[in-house]
Amino acid sequence: MTLSPACQRSWKIPSKVKLPESQLLKRDTRLTVPILDALSSLDLDAGLLAEVRQSAMVIVPAVKLEDLPVVVKFILHNIKAVDAVEVISALRKSLDLSSCILPLQILSSQRKLKSQPQTSSSTSEVSSSQNCVKLLFDVIKLAVRFQKGISEAWIKAIENTVSVSDHKVLDLIVLLLIHTTNTKSRKQIERVLRNKIPLGCVPEQLLQSAFQNHSLVIKDFFPSILSLAQTFLHSADPCVVSFGSCMYKQAFAAFDSYCRQEVVSALVTHVCGGNDVEVDISLDVLTDLVTLCTSSLIRYATFVKNVLDYTEKLNPQQIRKLFYILGELAFSQRQEDCYIQDDMHMVIRKWLSSTVPKYKQMGIIGAITVAGSMAAKRSKEDGCSLERTQQSEEHCRQLSILLDLVSYCCEQSPEALALYYDELANLIEKQKGNLDSQILERIGKSVVEDFSNDFVVDLTPAVDGVHLFPVKSLYNLDEDESQGTIVINLLPLLSQNSLVKSVDEMAIRNQGKKIVSPECLSPSFRLLRLYTTEQHNGSMEEIDALLGCPLYLTDLEIEWKLDSLAKQEREFLCSLLFHALNWFREVVNAFCQQQDLEMKGKVLTRLQNITELQNMLGKCLAASPGYVPPPAIFDCEALEAAPPVNAVGLVKKKKTGGKKQKSEGNKDSSADHSQMEENPEGNQPEAETTQLEKDTTEKNAGIPLVQLQSYNAFFRELDLEVFTILHCGLLTKSILDSEMHTEAREIVQLGPAELMFLLDDLCQKLEHILIPPAAKRAPFLKQGKACRNIGFSHLCQRSSQEVAQCAVELLKPLCNHMENMHNYFQALITENQGVVDGPRVNIQEHQLMSSCYQQLLQAFRLLFAWSGFSQRENSDLLRSALKVLADKLKPGETEFLLLEDLISDSFHYLLNFQHSVPNFQCALTLTQLLIVIAEKPVASWKKDKIASLAKQFLCQSWMQPSGMREKGSQFSNALHTLLCVYMEHTDNILKAVEDISSVGVPELINSANDGYSSTYPTLTRQTFPVFFQVMMTQLENSVRSIPAGKPSDSSEVQIEKLLHWNVAVRDFHILVNLVKVFDSRPVLSICLKYGRLFVEAFLKLAMPLLDYSFKKHREDVQSLLKTLQLSTRQLHHMCGHSKIHQDLGLTNHVPLLKKSLEQFVYRVKAMLAFNHCQEAFWVGTLKNRDLQGEEILSQDSEENDPGEGVSQLPREDPAEEEGDISGSEGGSENNDDDEESSE
């Protein structure tokens, strides 16, 4: 080791020489550096080098940090391409950067202890640690740059890591390093990260750890970080987009001013790009930065301000985010330079003065958002004190001027005024407890006066004025009050507003008078109640009279005379009902959390009023085609809230087809929303709807009902707090006498209609916020994402974690309601001696309870399918959710159970509901729920349980209470999904396919025309195509999982594979021959498509097996080929059938299928030649036949087409030919030969 380097390099060390240095490495780590430095200069034999490298690998975990770069350099020295992946995989397992960050943690803890001053030794220790880590990655960087194959091997090693816990910070940093160093590997690295991120292998915590603990290292990779973040924001996967946004935030927090400027510039570029997803995520990143790093971001406020030039492309929600960011930058710190404030005020004034509704809308949103930043209380700048500073008089004056300006510009536009009220309400709700009291008092004074003067009048026996309908006070819950009763002046106000619109609207605008419109009723009340709760610490006593006060409406029995009303009268009635519904929805929003029993009872009554009015509205809308409802959501673009013109047309089409809609008794409009994510049609099975109408034909003669879900954009949004009503069981509402003594008690219950109304809205909210949209690029039409957010503006201001937390808190009442449903249907079955369609079954009630059951299961499924449960920070929330379910099974025993035990108990609790599900849709949802629970993680016993449950549902006869079997497109879709679940979870797919095809299908064939299989009652002639498609698909997928034959396979392995293929080919033969009985076009298309795929899989995977097993298992191979030969012959007959009928959808499959069949003939001949058995193969003429095997006589054109021939032997007749195999005999007649032709 004391020789000169030049002398060392001239030595060739043979493999027989034993180097003592490799033993010294293990004994004394102090000699690590000199030994490895010397050995790296020697020309070692490959075997010796591998031995020393292995010795160095062993000491990696124990070596000192300062020696680690030398060890890694030696390990990476002279790696052959063959060994690179193995060596680097071992190295990455041994390298642990956690020891490198220990000094950083020590220093951090010392900084927190103010009593202990920071010492120079601790600083030098941290600096030394960081330098060593930097040297380590410099070594890796040199190896990647100058050694061929290192970068590919490192990427492959990371790719091969499967376990989530095995991924390290080292992996992420190395990927960034390679992305920076090797430009050819960039696409590969992007692909690796795109695949790893959704699986949770590279969580955001790993990214945060890399930036926080190794910022000195990864700062050199900043261009790659910026490039990857920009690429990820273009992704269609929400997880990848979130990871890209996290990269931006961490880079801004960890790096210097230059890097921060680049980050802000990149984010502003995304915002100005116009893509909705990128705009939203970039604004969210800037919002987080302005919240967490306000002082740092202020330096780059000019860049953010430039977005004001591109606001034309932003939707109202994005405008709100932008002005929040600018407002925080402008007013968060009392800076001298107020150029941002001036620019914002100028833009806002310009927009407010515009006559274009879109710009006025943007001006209102921007003004109120900026006002929120101006009016927010600020903490002092010392960083420690929590005291609040009072707003200066000048500041208050500016804010008052701004609010006065907005109010003045909105007075003559009801939509603008309603948006103004909504934005002020959002401001108070968002800044709860943080608004300056003077500003809050000023807002409140005007809103109280406006609401009282505009919408509330005293209840009088007669109402002045001429109106389209007679005015009548309805829905009064305070009838015992003899005097002083107030009423919402809805119908007179709507009449006045209609008159203004039709006669002299422009004249009133020119006079500068404020236009009072019922469109402002609900927004004004929302602002009033939020102001009241803010001023009175949550108390609603000041406005509780509005909960029970009546509305001026009209006699709603007029709905039975809709045909006799004029178009104007019908549309007026629709508008009246929309306004009344929106009023009640806001009332429920306001008072849902009140604890007083009397008020709770009134809230439940209001829910009943909503369900009644929705039923009436559905009938009125059906009679008013082309009607445009009044707007209820004002922070969306005009095109987004276009009326659902097609909704009425769909109803009328059904009516002409003899299919009527649901009856009046379904007051909660369960038909409006009782649809599932998997079944977008959203209708109940047609037969069930028809039978329900038969029961109520006399009552509802000829009155159709519109699906109100199409009109969600015209209803006020329910707050998440409304679902606290689900906690209610039975409540008592006191009825007081004149002396305020309790006179009687009336039972008020959350009935099925009201429960359905709440569950439907809950499911929509959970699906919107917890289940990401389909992972595909949105079309270039801009409003795609915005349309999805209509009706969820308040919900979108909450994070998915907050929504999940709310849903977990609702699990107990949801479990109680689901147990009530279970008990109801169990009792119903018992009462009717196990018959669903018994004479005592109330069809309407049964359908309503079924819909509630369905939505309860759906709510559970949507919650537990949330991907956020896989994140570490949400593990406690998942435990809380599972404990609620497990506690139902084992009360008081779940506190200290392991997660796996909680999952098991929750699974068994939900499994208990299998015996009470009332329809097939509920059965499917329950199965999907159990799958979601079982995936955390899946165990074999859970898989067996799910397969058994799915088969149980498939073998169950599903009857409607009307006595008819379930059918229709929704039932078929659900059946397809459940059948796939059964096939995917059963332990033997081939056996399952054989059971259905050889037992269930023959039973169906032998039954009557309207019959079904006795073993599988869901298998009927109408559902056979569904069964056939799933069986063909699963059969083809199953055989592709059988490993291909190898020469090295033992005889036992060959026999096992042959057995699998024998069963698969037998199943295939049965399925293909079913086409002779079920020859519908869908069945033929499925058979042609998947028949080709099966033959291709056989050629690729089975024929190599036959090559090497023919001599040992000749009879088995011959039997296998004979069976497949019969199937391919039938496929050939199908090709002829398709040509004769000239069905383009079928003939499209023919060329590829015939090509595969021809390849099969040649491949069998090659296999026989390989085994020296050419004599077992001969060729005969295959005649064209139809599905039944009858010869097709008119084939002159085909015989003259040379493209149709597959000639194995020299023949004059180029007709279609084929091969046949036999054992000792030559075969049978010509026209019984195998198949093939090609085109």
Side-chain angles (χ1 to χ4, degrees):
M1 288 187 290
T2 59
L3 296 174
S4 67
C7 184
Q8 290 174 350
R9 283 192 296 271
S10 67
W11 287 9
K12 170 70 176 179
I13 308 297
S15 59
K16 296 181 180 179
V17 175
K18 300 295 182 183
L19 292 178
E21 288 85 346
S22 63
Q23 300 298 325
L24 285 174
L25 281 174
K26 300 176 182 178
R27 295 177 192 168
D28 192 351
T29 56
R30 292 176 297 176
L31 299 176
T32 299
V33 173
I35 291 174
L36 294 180
D37 189 42
L39 291 178
S40 63
S41 300
L42 296 175
D43 188 8
L44 299 179
D45 181 81
L48 273 178
L49 184 62
E51 179 186 346
V52 178
R53 185 185 291 126
Q54 184 61 35
S55 300
M57 194 81 73
V58 172
I59 67 169
V60 167
V63 76
K64 290 183 180 180
L65 184 59
E66 56 267 23
D67 297 337
L68 192 58
V70 179
V71 178
V72 173
K73 179 181 179 182
F74 179 80
I75 292 174
L76 296 177
H77 179 64
N78 287 338
I79 299 181
K80 291 185 178 180
V82 179
D83 305 326
V85 175
E86 182 181 354
V87 171
I88 289 175
S89 296
L91 176 61
R92 65 168 294 279
K93 288 180 182 177
S94 303
L95 277 175
D96 186 9
L97 296 183
S98 59
S99 60
C100 308
I101 65 173
L102 185 60
L104 290 172
Q105 294 173 344
I106 295 174
L107 178 62
S108 176
S109 63
Q110 287 179 348
R111 286 176 175 173
K112 292 179 181 178
L113 299 174
K114 295 187 176 181
S115 58
Q116 298 179 4
Q118 181 179 336
T119 61
S120 59
S121 61
S122 63
T123 306
S124 61
E125 185 179 359
V126 171
S127 178
S128 174
S129 172
Q130 291 178 334
N131 290 334
C132 291
V133 175
K134 194 168 186 343
L135 284 173
L136 170 65
F137 284 101
D138 284 343
V139 168
I140 298 174
K141 185 176 181 180
L142 288 172
V144 167
R145 175 171 291 177
F146 297 111
Q147 289 183 241
K148 186 178 180 181
I150 292 292
S151 59
E152 289 79 4
W154 211 300
I155 295 171
K156 191 68 176 176
I158 296 174
E159 264 189 308
N160 293 340
T161 306
V162 178
S163 174
V164 174
S165 58
D166 288 343
H167 290 77
K168 304 178 179 181
V169 174
L170 171 73
D171 298 332
L172 182 59
I173 298 178
V174 168
L175 288 176
L176 292 174
L177 184 151
I178 297 173
H179 190 278
T180 303
T181 308
N182 191 343
T183 56
K184 294 181 180 179
S185 302
R186 289 182 177 177
K187 290 292 183 184
Q188 189 178 2
I189 290 172
E190 290 175 9
R191 178 179 55 80
V192 171
L193 288 173
R194 284 177 186 273
N195 293 337
K196 295 280 186 180
I197 291 170
L199 298 175
C201 298
V202 189
E204 293 182 4
Q205 294 90 338
L206 205 69
L207 184 68
Q208 293 170 6
S209 177
F211 276 91
Q212 292 171 4
N213 301 319
H214 307 290
S215 59
L216 186 64
V217 175
I218 61 177
K219 182 183 175 183
D220 295 339
F221 315 139
F222 176 71
S224 288
I225 293 170
L226 206 60
S227 172
L228 285 171
Q230 290 172 343
T231 302
F232 290 164
L233 250 64
H234 289 86
S235 173
D237 192 322
C239 296
V240 177
V241 173
S242 176
F243 191 85
S245 68
C246 189
M247 292 182 77
Y248 276 128
K249 286 185 278 191
Q250 294 299 324
F252 186 89
F255 296 153
D256 57 19
S257 59
Y258 166 76
C259 296
R260 290 176 175 176
Q261 178 177 316
E262 291 298 313
V263 168
V264 174
S265 298
L267 291 172
V268 169
T269 302
H270 284 300
V271 175
C272 299
N275 181 282
D276 269 336
V277 176
E278 293 180 37
V279 171
D280 281 327
I281 198 69
S282 301
L283 289 173
D284 289 339
V285 172
L286 287 171
T287 301
D288 291 339
L289 292 179
V290 82
T291 304
L292 302 174
C293 316
T294 309
S295 56
S296 301
L297 191 61
I298 283 179
R299 300 177 58 184
Y300 314 102
T302 304
F303 294 94
V304 183
K305 182 182 68 68
N306 290 335
V307 180
L308 290 174
D309 298 331
Y310 296 88
T311 50
E312 183 74 25
K313 300 179 180 179
L314 304 184
N315 61 42
Q317 290 79 11
Q318 293 162 353
I319 291 289
R320 187 182 293 114
K321 293 178 183 178
L322 172 63
F323 275 90
Y324 172 78
I325 295 166
L326 292 174
E328 290 297 302
L329 292 176
F331 300 101
S332 60
Q333 302 189 10
R334 303 284 182 257
Q335 51 184 8
E336 295 293 331
D337 188 4
C338 59
Y339 66 96
I340 301 180
Q341 299 178 21
D342 295 340
D343 286 351
M344 283 194 302
H345 281 297
M346 181 176 64
V347 171
I348 289 170
R349 288 175 181 272
K350 176 183 175 183
W351 285 344
L352 287 174
S353 60
S354 174
T355 57
V356 179
K358 177 182 177 180
Y359 291 122
K360 187 179 287 290
Q361 180 190 63
M362 292 163 61
I364 295 168
I365 294 173
I368 300 303
T369 307
V370 169
S373 298
M374 297 172 66
K377 300 175 183 177
R378 306 284 176 187
S379 58
K380 291 185 177 179
E381 297 299 329
D382 56 13
C384 301
S385 173
L386 296 177
E387 297 178 6
R388 303 289 185 177
T389 58
Q390 295 296 322
Q391 303 287 336
S392 65
E393 291 184 6
E394 177 61 23
H395 209 61
C396 289
R397 189 184 68 81
Q398 293 179 3
L399 184 55
S400 297
I401 292 174
L402 179 61
L403 293 177
D404 287 340
L405 175 64
V406 181
S407 178
Y408 174 76
C409 293
C410 297
E411 282 184 348
Q412 297 173 22
S413 170
E415 290 84 1
L417 188 60
L419 176 61
Y420 172 59
Y421 289 147
D422 270 343
E423 289 301 308
L424 282 178
N426 290 339
L427 175 62
I428 295 174
E429 187 175 34
K430 186 176 181 181
Q431 300 277 8
K432 188 174 292 184
N434 197 42
L435 278 179
D436 184 80
S437 56
Q438 298 178 17
I439 304 301
L440 187 62
E441 185 65 33
R442 184 196 176 284
I443 294 174
K445 183 179 179 181
S446 62
V447 71
V448 172
E449 293 177 355
D450 288 348
F451 185 82
S452 300
N453 296 335
D454 295 342
F455 305 110
V456 180
V457 295
D458 292 328
L459 182 61
T460 57
V463 180
D464 297 333
V466 178
H467 311 290
L468 282 175
F469 293 98
V471 179
K472 183 178 180 180
S473 171
L474 297 177
Y475 300 110
N476 185 9
L477 304 185
D478 302 317
E479 295 177 355
D480 55 317
E481 297 185 12
S482 56
Q483 57 183 4
T485 302
I486 59 174
V487 62
I488 303 300
N489 193 32
L490 184 54
L491 190 146
L493 197 59
L494 184 60
S495 296
Q496 178 185 350
N497 191 253
S498 301
L499 185 65
V500 167
K501 285 186 176 181
S502 60
V503 181
D504 55 352
E505 181 177 358
M506 292 305 299
I508 293 180
R509 289 182 185 274
N510 294 333
Q511 295 174 9
K513 294 182 180 180
K514 176 183 176 181
I515 298 177
V516 179
S517 170
E519 293 174 7
C520 301
L521 172 62
S522 298
S524 179
F525 174 66
R526 179 177 178 81
L527 175 59
L528 173 64
R529 65 101 169 175
L530 286 170
Y531 162 74
T532 303
T533 53
E534 183 74 7
Q535 284 291 83
H536 300 89
N537 298 320
S539 172
M540 302 283 288
E541 187 177 352
E542 295 288 326
I543 59 172
D544 59 0
L546 294 173
L547 172 59
C549 75
L551 290 82
Y552 273 149
L553 299 173
T554 189
D555 186 2
L556 295 178
E557 292 297 323
I558 196 71
E559 63 174 315
W560 306 111
K561 305 175 184 178
L562 290 174
D563 293 337
S564 62
L565 298 179
K567 177 183 178 183
Q568 181 184 3
E569 293 173 329
R570 290 197 300 267
E571 293 186 350
F572 181 89
L573 187 59
C574 289
S575 296
L576 187 67
L577 291 173
F578 267 107
H579 287 305
L581 274 168
N582 285 323
W583 165 256
F584 284 145
R585 290 169 78 101
E586 282 298 346
V587 166
V588 172
N589 278 340
F591 296 97
C592 61
Q593 292 182 291
Q594 297 301 303
Q595 298 303 313
D596 180 70
L597 293 182
E598 191 79 17
M599 298 185 75
K600 281 187 174 182
K602 290 182 178 180
V603 170
L604 290 179
T605 305
R606 287 307 185 211
L607 279 177
Q608 294 174 3
N609 299 152
I610 290 175
T611 57
E612 293 169 5
L613 285 175
Q614 283 190 164
N615 188 60
M616 297 176 193
L617 178 60
K619 297 171 184 176
C620 292
L621 287 172
S624 308
Y627 164 72
V628 180
I633 301 171
F634 303 95
D635 60 346
C636 62
E637 297 179 76
L639 289 177
E640 296 173 11
V645 177
N646 295 331
V648 175
L650 290 174
V651 171
K652 289 193 173 255
K653 183 178 179 181
K654 285 191 175 184
K655 182 178 177 182
T656 58
K659 301 294 184 182
K660 300 178 183 178
Q661 300 300 314
K662 297 185 184 292
S663 66
E664 177 193 14
N666 198 355
K667 294 182 179 179
D668 71 322
S669 73
S670 61
D672 304 342
H673 310 297
S674 61
Q675 66 186 42
M676 290 188 58
E677 177 183 21
E678 296 81 6
N679 298 285
E681 292 89 352
N683 301 322
Q684 294 297 323
E686 295 177 3
E688 180 177 348
T689 307
T690 306
Q691 289 301 314
L692 178 60
E693 287 303 319
K694 287 180 182 178
D695 187 63
T696 55
T697 302
E698 295 181 0
K699 185 176 180 181
N700 289 3
I703 300 181
L705 186 67
V706 163
Q707 300 286 334
L708 290 187
Q709 191 170 17
S710 305
Y711 290 83
N712 277 348
F714 302 96
F715 291 117
R716 298 289 291 179
E717 181 181 358
L718 292 180
D719 295 336
L720 274 179
E721 289 74 20
V722 166
F723 301 112
T724 55
I725 299 174
L726 292 171
H727 288 273
C728 297
L730 288 174
L731 290 178
T732 57
K733 183 178 73 172
S734 300
I735 300 177
L736 306 178
D737 59 20
S738 57
E739 298 180 359
M740 301 301 289
H741 294 149
T742 301
E743 189 176 72
R745 287 185 179 273
E746 179 185 350
I747 301 298
V748 180
Q749 184 181 9
L750 182 62
E754 295 76 48
L755 176 62
M756 182 61 203
F757 171 75
L758 293 175
L759 290 175
D760 175 69
D761 196 80
L762 175 62
C763 287
Q764 290 184 42
K765 284 179 164 57
L766 292 179
E767 182 177 1
H768 181 84
I769 208 74
L770 298 184
I771 307 300
K776 61 182 180 180
R777 173 69 60 183
F780 64 92
L781 296 176
K782 183 177 181 293
Q783 73 253 33
K785 183 175 184 298
C787 280
R788 184 176 180 268
N789 289 332
I790 290 181
F792 300 104
S793 57
H794 300 153
L795 184 71
C796 290
Q797 295 178 25
R798 302 186 184 223
S799 67
S800 59
Q801 188 172 9
E802 290 176 312
V803 176
Q805 177 68 50
C806 293
V808 170
E809 293 172 0
L810 294 172
L811 280 180
K812 280 188 179 180
L814 290 176
C815 284
N816 293 335
H817 287 297
M818 196 154 71
E819 289 169 8
N820 291 339
M821 297 295 157
H822 171 80
N823 295 334
Y824 169 82
F825 286 107
Q826 286 288 84
L828 196 63
I829 293 173
T830 303
E831 181 182 351
N832 290 277
Q833 289 81 39
V835 180
V836 178
D837 55 335
R840 287 175 288 182
V841 174
N842 184 317
I843 296 180
Q844 297 179 54
E845 183 182 82
H846 186 281
Q847 183 182 5
L848 186 54
M849 298 295 279
S850 299
S851 299
C852 289
Y853 207 160
Q854 158 73 22
Q855 293 297 72
L856 282 165
L857 291 168
Q858 180 77 331
F860 278 92
R861 190 187 74 82
L862 292 171
L863 172 60
F864 284 102
W866 179 47
S867 60
F869 279 135
S870 61
Q871 298 173 2
R872 190 179 307 169
E873 62 266 23
N874 296 322
S875 58
D876 290 340
L877 188 60
L878 175 61
R879 282 187 62 87
S880 301
L882 292 171
K883 279 170 66 177
V884 173
L885 303 185
D887 198 57
K888 291 285 185 178
L889 199 66
K890 298 179 179 178
E893 302 177 16
T894 60
E895 186 64 32
F896 303 105
L897 287 181
L898 297 175
L899 181 62
E900 180 60 33
D901 295 330
L902 288 174
I903 293 172
S904 176
D905 290 343
S906 301
F907 186 91
H908 282 102
Y909 167 71
L910 293 170
L911 196 61
N912 291 333
F913 292 95
Q914 61 180 304
H915 303 295
S916 64
V917 287
N919 55 47
F920 195 80
Q921 196 67 53
C922 288
L924 172 63
T925 311
L926 175 61
T927 309
Q928 292 173 324
L929 170 59
L930 289 170
I931 292 173
V932 169
I933 296 289
E935 286 174 349
K936 309 179 187 301
V938 150
S940 58
W941 66 266
K942 297 178 196 168
K943 192 173 181 181
D944 294 340
K945 287 279 188 183
I946 291 171
S948 174
L949 180 65
K951 185 175 182 180
Q952 173 190 323
F953 289 147
L954 291 171
C955 296
Q956 186 172 334
S957 184
W958 297 97
M959 304 297 294
Q960 301 173 15
S962 59
M964 295 186 64
R965 303 182 65 82
E966 286 195 33
K967 59 183 179 180
S969 60
Q970 186 177 2
F971 175 74
S972 297
N973 292 336
L975 178 62
H976 182 279
T977 305
L978 189 64
L979 196 53
C980 288
V981 168
Y982 169 57
M983 293 291 184
E984 290 164 2
H985 287 80
T986 188
D987 56 349
N988 192 332
I989 294 178
L990 299 179
K991 186 176 181 299
V993 171
E994 185 173 11
D995 186 50
I996 296 174
S997 58
S998 60
V999 177
V1001 176
E1003 292 174 349
L1004 174 62
I1005 294 174
N1006 297 327
S1007 67
N1009 289 336
D1010 58 346
Y1012 55 89
S1013 165
S1014 57
T1015 305
Y1016 295 91
T1018 51
L1019 176 57
T1020 65
R1021 281 175 168 76
Q1022 289 74 31
T1023 60
F1024 174 80
V1026 176
F1027 274 83
F1028 189 75
Q1029 180 179 10
V1030 173
M1031 288 191 291
M1032 290 291 286
T1033 305
Q1034 295 296 329
L1035 177 62
E1036 188 261 334
N1037 290 338
S1038 176
V1039 297
R1040 288 191 181 277
S1041 64
I1042 302 175
K1046 299 178 182 177
S1048 58
D1049 287 345
S1050 64
S1051 180
E1052 292 78 10
V1053 172
Q1054 288 180 351
I1055 291 174
E1056 184 182 355
K1057 291 180 179 178
L1058 281 173
L1059 181 61
H1060 275 90
W1061 275 109
N1062 265 305
V1063 177
V1065 169
R1066 185 169 68 247
D1067 290 350
F1068 182 65
H1069 177 61
I1070 295 172
L1071 291 176
V1072 168
N1073 278 278
L1074 290 177
V1075 177
K1076 295 179 180 179
V1077 181
F1078 303 95
D1079 57 355
S1080 64
R1081 186 175 182 275
V1083 173
L1084 285 171
S1085 179
I1086 293 166
C1087 197
L1088 290 170
K1089 176 182 177 182
Y1090 290 99
R1092 173 180 63 84
L1093 294 175
F1094 184 90
V1095 173
E1096 289 176 354
F1098 188 89
L1099 290 172
K1100 182 178 180 181
L1101 302 172
M1103 289 309 299
L1105 172 66
L1106 304 189
D1107 288 341
Y1108 303 111
S1109 59
F1110 182 80
K1111 291 182 179 179
K1112 294 182 181 179
H1113 312 284
R1114 180 170 180 172
E1115 292 183 359
D1116 293 334
V1117 172
Q1118 180 182 342
S1119 173
L1120 178 65
L1121 289 173
K1122 280 287 187 182
T1123 307
L1124 184 58
Q1125 186 180 27
L1126 297 174
S1127 304
T1128 54
R1129 181 175 299 134
Q1130 183 64 28
L1131 289 175
H1132 179 78
H1133 296 165
M1134 287 184 226
C1135 294
H1137 173 86
S1138 303
K1139 285 186 175 182
I1140 290 175
H1141 288 79
Q1142 298 182 349
D1143 188 323
L1144 186 61
L1146 297 178
T1147 54
N1148 284 338
H1149 295 288
V1150 170
L1152 291 176
L1153 175 58
K1154 284 197 170 185
K1155 180 180 179 181
S1156 298
L1157 296 178
E1158 178 185 351
Q1159 289 174 345
F1160 173 66
V1161 172
Y1162 283 118
R1163 186 64 180 83
V1164 171
K1165 183 177 181 181
M1167 182 269 293
L1168 294 173
F1170 179 78
N1171 288 279
H1172 309 291
C1173 294
Q1174 296 94 325
E1175 69 279 0
F1177 183 88
W1178 60 274
V1179 177
T1181 304
L1182 180 64
K1183 299 178 181 179
N1184 288 323
R1185 300 178 183 273
D1186 60 16
L1187 294 180
Q1188 306 304 326
E1190 299 295 332
E1191 184 177 348
I1192 301 173
L1193 298 178
S1194 57
Q1195 28 182 338
D1196 295 338
S1197 60
E1198 291 185 16
E1199 290 179 357
N1200 293 329
D1201 183 1
E1204 294 288 332
V1206 181
S1207 180
Q1208 305 288 344
L1209 297 173
R1211 290 179 180 269
E1212 296 180 0
D1213 182 9
E1216 300 182 18
E1217 302 162 350
E1218 71 143 46
D1220 193 3
I1221 68 162
S1222 61
S1224 58
E1225 300 179 3
S1228 57
E1229 301 176 5
N1230 293 12
N1231 47 359
D1232 289 331
D1233 303 339
D1234 186 34
E1235 72 265 34
E1236 301 323 301
S1237 63
S1238 71
E1239 289 186 348

